[in-house]
Amino acid sequence: MNSSAYSRTITLPTAIREQAAQHLEQAVRRSIDGAAAPCRAFRAADGDDPVFSVPVIEQAAGCLLVLAADSAQSLRPSALRALIGVALHLRDAAEAVRRPALVTPAW
């Protein structure tokens, strides 16, 4: 196998990137470990549908889930759902890249 899973990239819609960047800034303010690097990457991305490496997406998703757990008691339910929704979108995107393609058996 020549290509590593860590060399793969994910293209995110601008709206998701902007939402994630806002939440990651909150995570940085709350001193959640590992939030600074993906926050910088998301803020530095330019243009429509920026591209990110899978590890950055995974790290961002993890930080957002920690933020959701830490702030669950203080957020409105709709804000908490939005935060979790962005985190799960990032996590699902990373899992889709890492998951091997399904091969249909020949019958």
Side-chain angles (χ1 to χ4, degrees), residues 5-105:
Y6 289 99
S7 66
R8 293 186 181 167
T9 58
I10 296 173
T11 302
L12 291 177
T14 301
I16 295 294
R17 178 197 43 93
E18 290 172 353
Q19 290 173 9
Q22 290 173 354
H23 294 307
L24 286 166
E25 286 175 356
Q26 293 172 357
V28 168
R29 283 193 297 275
R30 292 184 73 129
S31 300
I32 293 178
D33 287 339
C39 184
R40 283 191 302 271
F42 277 63
R43 280 294 174 204
D46 284 334
D48 293 335
D49 302 332
V51 177
F52 300 93
S53 69
V54 172
V56 168
I57 297 294
E58 289 174 329
Q59 186 173 358
C63 291
L64 294 184
L65 290 173
V66 170
L67 176 63
D70 285 353
S71 56
Q73 296 298 317
S74 62
L75 288 177
R76 294 184 330 265
S78 60
L80 184 59
R81 277 192 303 275
L83 171 58
I84 292 170
V86 171
L88 294 179
H89 182 89
L90 296 176
R91 186 204 62 189
D92 292 347
E95 284 183 6
V97 170
R98 291 199 182 274
R99 189 176 311 121
L102 296 175
V103 178
T104 320

